[in-house]
Amino acid sequence: MNQMTDHTSNDVFTLLKKMVERYYPHPNMPNFAGSSLLDLSIGNPDLAPEPRWRQRLQHFVGREDLHGYGEFRPDINRHLRERFAAYYQRRFLPPSAPVLLDPERHVVDLLGSKEGIFHSLLACLSPGEAVLMPDPSYTVYQSCARLIGARVELFACDELGQPKLESIRDEQLAGARVLVICSPSNPTGRELSPSKLQEVLDFAQRHALWVVIDRAYAEINFEFRCNGTLGGSALLGQGALSRVLELHSLSKSCGIAGWRIGFAVGAPELVEKIRSAKFNTDFGTFLPLQCVAAEILDELETIAARNSIIYAARMRRFIAGAKSLGWNIPPSQGTFFLWAPLPPGFAGDDLHFVETLLEATGVLLAPGSGFGTGGAGRVRIALVQSDEVLDEALHRLHKWRVTTGAV
């Protein structure tokens, strides 16, 4: 098998697309000729929204007055932002805390948090300025920064997946305007510890940096739960509301990735810039979706808890199955990803392992090096398939091991 070359210059999604095009279907796939592709590489949720939410969407679609530009129904958009602010208050703040978010100044809705990544960086950066981000990290951060013409400066994480801010060099800070963090992290599944979150905020304060925290997976979180609330809010600290922007999404927690709805919340200066940019680019989210999203927000933690139980069960199932093959994979703190070391016998080149696995079994994982050099020697496994598919993937791995001794 000929490996693809120069994979370090491509992000993980480009690599995966090339691998699928090149290797599947493979006319000479050993042992598994004709097997279907089992794609555990992309975080595309398989859990669909409950029928009642689809029915509610159909209800709003059936209304005659909800098919114009979303921007010109401020009453509906205001209600949506109010429901998000209320959700944030009860989910991330102590019960006795004063109201934190003003829906008008602190909240803007997005066409998913991925759009929010671009708009938040556009709000923070000018061409030639720098963005700081951990290595490994979600490659869309880098792609969006480069579209803007910004400089990307990567810094290391420790063995627990916590950012090592002390590794950021003075030359990296030169011209730096924003620091981007994901918590729980894609791809590592690690949550920022409370002390590390405070360290990030203190670092940003000292160096006059904006902070963008991607919290798309906040509700798929297997730890840091207390009295019905979630930890991890970066907006509670002194001065944070003037410096920090959090990105949230309903995509993963509610199984509505294709519906495209998310939120940016925090610093009014950045919220206003995002709102202005969106006014000139998309004219607002589809109104029926705004209406049903407002209703979903009132029950978001219940919906997300049901889905999180499913993802947690899948995580335990896959880890146990992999362990029976001699492959020890640590559990994630959040997200529906496993961040796994290479199995025995494949130390070193993660891309070679992923390509070999795909050709031999039809199982596709994401190479860790596609998320940055800090991901080398690891793979990301997306648990967005049914138990039957995950069991089939493990069965193929077992058969491959028996046949070749590979795993």
Side-chain angles (χ1 to χ4, degrees), residues 210-233:
W210 297 108
V211 179
V212 174
I213 300 187
D214 184 356
R215 307 219 62 211
Y217 296 92
E219 284 283 0
I220 307 177
N221 191 323
F222 310 127
E223 299 184 11
F224 296 95
R225 295 180 182 271
C226 179
N227 299 323
T229 62
L230 287 175
S233 171

Side-chain angles (χ1 to χ4, degrees), residues 44-45 251 255-261 289:
N44 184 23
S251 296
I256 56 173
W259 292 22
R260 310 314 299 140
I261 185 76
L289 179 52

